Amino acid sequence: MDWKLWDRIAETHPLIHQLTNVVTVNDCANITLACGASPVMADAPEEAAEMAAASDAVVINIGTLRQDQLDAMARAGESANKHGVPVVLDPVGAGATRLRLEAVDRLLKRVKFSVIRGNSSEIGTLCGRRSGRGVDANLDDLDSLLPSIRNLAKELQTVIAVSGPVDYVTDGKQEAYVENGTPLLTRVTGTGCMLTAVVGCCLGAGIDPFRSAILSLAAVGIAGEKAKASLSEGEGIGTFRIRFFDEMSRMNGETLEQAGKVKLLEKSV
Amino acid sequence: MDWKLWDRIAETHPLIHQLTNVVTVNDCANITLACGASPVMADAPEEAAEMAAASDAVVINIGTLRQDQLDAMARAGESANKHGVPVVLDPVGAGATRLRLEAVDRLLKRVKFSVIRGNSSEIGTLCGRRSGRGVDANLDDLDSLLPSIRNLAKELQTVIAVSGPVDYVTDGKQEAYVENGTPLLTRVTGTGCMLTAVVGCCLGAGIDPFRSAILSLAAVGIAGEKAKASLSEGEGIGTFRIRFFDEMSRMNGETLEQAGKVKLLEKSV
Amino acid sequence: MDWKLWDRIAETHPLIHQLTNVVTVNDCANITLACGASPVMADAPEEAAEMAAASDAVVINIGTLRQDQLDAMARAGESANKHGVPVVLDPVGAGATRLRLEAVDRLLKRVKFSVIRGNSSEIGTLCGRRSGRGVDANLDDLDSLLPSIRNLAKELQTVIAVSGPVDYVTDGKQEAYVENGTPLLTRVTGTGCMLTAVVGCCLGAGIDPFRSAILSLAAVGIAGEKAKASLSEGEGIGTFRIRFFDEMSRMNGETLEQAGKVKLLEKSV
């Protein structure tokens, strides 16, 4: 694994256009800056296509979906596809409501994504929908989902990144497991959204989708580990969150090389 | 007062559906996680009812109201009522504009709330409106408002929690004063909204509305006191806010028992 | 320069009505509180005019523009003008899309602004549009823009504040350069938006527009300098941001007098 690819973000300073949720939009902008990229958050339907065309990567996150925003997302994604700008999707809560399921379906029909990043429940929903099995896949057991995930990645010609206690990445042929992280990351809102924004930063720096996903999962996991290790007696979630930003702003290829825990597998398909 | 009830939040890990303002939505999600509950922020009219039915409590906060969001709030509230899911209202700035007054009226007509939490100006507005006295109640003098607040609580069959230098809680029969807190809490945006989110966490854990209000007021007040006490020379509002999250993430029944200052009164009505 | 004017904010505790973007709205509310003013964020078209009339200053920021929000901004601005309430504009990303260009044009036609605050690219766009030269002004070279900026300030009868490595302020006659700040401020999202909110706080405290701009640029710059100086080994962007809020909450006329670096010029026009 060439961890030094990470440093390309700060070198190329890509512009990352993000259509995301109102809960974590500030965190996503700050993590983008921490990585050395430049964020622009614009989700009015009237300007989404124009902004996407002018950017180096587009991030679409359905965390607090509105109809007009969904329209903007489709326009931004199509414009990005047309202009060769990579797009990453975060299908937040995909299985929670009909609105979200239909939104994901609509986006997958209109937009080609370089990476889709979700947790096992969200990715399981995507697999279930498309295989006709509904949304009740056994989500606790990532292993049983792997064949469906590989098939979905091949069908959509995308990289799928599943975060969890151990993260999993596949493009249908290659596979990787990333073992960095800490459960504390799940006690702070937006770490998933920020992870997807980081994937956008990597893509925008010209890193290929498979390595963009691995680098992002490792970087966020390592920053979480270091932030946790820095906590003193009496410090909690608030301080952890700030240290996480500190560590992300200091992340580089060397740190990734030292602390990254990745297992790369070649799959014969 | 059975302070150990607080620990039920982490034990039951309830899902708290919040329709809230864009200013403090991130803070409300983080405070929910800090308490040991799980937040979901969804205010599209198309999914609000579905999400409310699947959650353990619903939080409605009109801080940055939009018409479509108001529609979603009413739908979420009605769905919650139908499915036995408790709902808490934060009537932010209720008296500031006609839009907000009418929104609160509409919500009170369509939704039964377990708890209404506001400052004395907001609660005074609610009392004034309904008693026909207009919005010019003497808000500086909580004592003069108490009869109206008790009547409103009885009329709406709800618990009303008024935060201020000393907090007041009533269901029209029982009453309590909570004396925890620090003026620094008013120097950070969102502490009121977060307080209401915490009430939602307690309700979602199955705690009765009266005790949910008391526990929340005490927990937020104590976290503020401890955060303030931890400040060193040169630290200000930024650090205070982070320590507040730290303290909330470490809150438990034992700390509440030691530091909670509550006066419970039985009212003969 | 009378730096003690700053202390009027805490003395008068003005209400600052802000119609701003979803990315930094929480930061803008917190910086307003840190300065000693009181924020209210309300951008529904139905209540914008009413809220503006009741406030001491209005802040308009087009960072994540929606059509209904633009409508609210125009209504709030007109209402403020009618009631003698000063208004400040932050034309975020003015040149990035047609939507934003047209929005700024529309706002400038309907609303008289006391101060317009942007970076050199945004202000250059405003100059270019109005001079018919398009948006391709040489933005790296502030000096070459100065004549256009002065003309625009005179034409609009406003104060224009351009932030950058060295900040520039003019009302077309008087001019000032402010040399406080650190590049770290550009590594945190929202420092520009917060700066504009601080201008609103000064205006709301009754300080004249030219001095409001200078005081705000110096205060934010000094807070950044002090926050940077406080960082220890291993601390990064996250901690810097918190210390910045700490410093803003401790800012006063005395600190400004000691650390403010301003060059005032009288221009014969």
Side-chain angles (χ1 to χ4, degrees), chain B residues 22-24 27 63-67 96-100 186-189 233-239 241-242, chain C residues 22 25-26 29-30 33-36 39 41-42 44 46-47 50-51 66 68 241-243 245-247 249-250:
Chain B
V22 294
V23 186
T24 65
D27 293 334
T64 54
L65 205 54
R66 297 186 320 271
Q67 284 293 357
T97 63
R98 237 171 325 144
L99 175 70
R100 290 171 194 236
T186 65
R187 297 282 313 274
V188 173
T189 196
E233 173 71 20
E235 294 179 332
I237 293 303
T239 301
R241 184 169 164 271
I242 299 309
Chain C
V22 293
V25 60
N26 182 271
N30 270 321
L33 285 164
C35 292
M41 287 24 207
E46 298 87 355
E47 67 176 351
E50 196 178 347
M51 199 67 99
R66 296 185 322 271
D68 65 326
R241 184 169 164 272
I242 299 308
R243 299 269 169 77
F245 279 103
D246 282 354
E247 294 299 336
S249 72
R250 303 171 68 235

Side-chain angles (χ1 to χ4, degrees), chain A residues 22-23 27 63-65 67 96-100 186-189 234-239 241-242, chain B residues 22 25-26 29-30 33-36 41-42 44 46-47 50-51 66 68 242 245-247 249-250:
Chain A
V22 294
V23 186
D27 292 335
T64 53
L65 204 55
Q67 285 293 356
T97 63
R98 237 172 324 144
L99 174 70
R100 289 170 194 237
T186 65
R187 298 281 315 273
V188 173
T189 197
E235 293 179 333
I237 293 305
T239 301
R241 184 168 164 272
I242 298 308
Chain B
V22 294
V25 60
N26 182 271
N30 271 321
L33 286 164
C35 291
M41 286 25 207
E46 297 88 354
E47 67 176 352
E50 196 178 347
M51 199 67 99
R66 297 186 320 271
D68 64 327
I242 299 309
F245 279 104
D246 281 354
E247 294 299 335
S249 73
R250 302 171 70 234

Side-chain angles (χ1 to χ4, degrees), chain A residues 11-181:
Chain A
E11 286 158 24
T12 59
H13 196 63
L15 181 67
I16 315 301
H17 176 204
Q18 306 184 39
L19 303 97
T20 188
N21 65 73
V22 294
V23 186
T24 64
V25 60
N26 182 271
D27 292 335
C28 289
N30 270 320
I31 211 73
T32 302
L33 285 165
C35 292
S38 191
V40 62
M41 289 20 209
D43 59 5
E46 297 87 354
E47 66 176 352
E50 195 178 348
M51 198 67 99
S55 69
D56 297 301
V58 172
V59 178
I60 293 179
N61 174 312
I62 64 163
T64 53
L65 204 55
R66 297 185 321 271
Q67 285 293 356
D68 64 326
Q69 194 196 29
L70 179 55
D71 183 22
M73 287 171 174
R75 292 190 197 192
E78 289 179 331
S79 168
N81 283 173
K82 193 175 142 195
H83 292 87
V85 175
V87 191
V88 52
L89 173 67
D90 192 329
V92 181
T97 63
R98 237 172 324 144
L99 174 70
R100 289 170 194 237
L101 265 178
E102 290 169 7
V104 169
D105 272 355
R106 191 171 147 198
L107 288 171
L108 289 178
K109 256 177 219 138
R110 292 178 59 179
V111 182
K112 160 95 173 63
F113 292 96
S114 297
V115 179
I116 301 174
R117 204 289 314 167
N119 61 32
S120 62
S121 163
E122 291 151 356
I123 299 299
T125 296
L126 266 61
C127 293
R129 282 284 289 183
R130 300 185 74 84
S131 68
R133 286 184 297 106
V135 298
D136 53 357
N138 182 352
L139 305 177
D140 292 333
D141 184 4
L142 180 63
D143 284 346
S144 72
L145 265 181
L146 292 188
S148 309
I149 296 174
R150 283 180 208 122
N151 284 338
L152 184 64
K154 273 187 281 188
E155 185 190 333
L156 299 176
Q157 298 182 50
T158 193
V159 166
I160 297 183
V162 189
S163 30
V166 173
D167 309 315
Y168 173 74
V169 183
T170 187
D171 64 359
K173 286 176 287 183
Q174 309 170 80
E175 290 182 307
Y177 290 91
V178 183
E179 297 189 344
N180 294 104

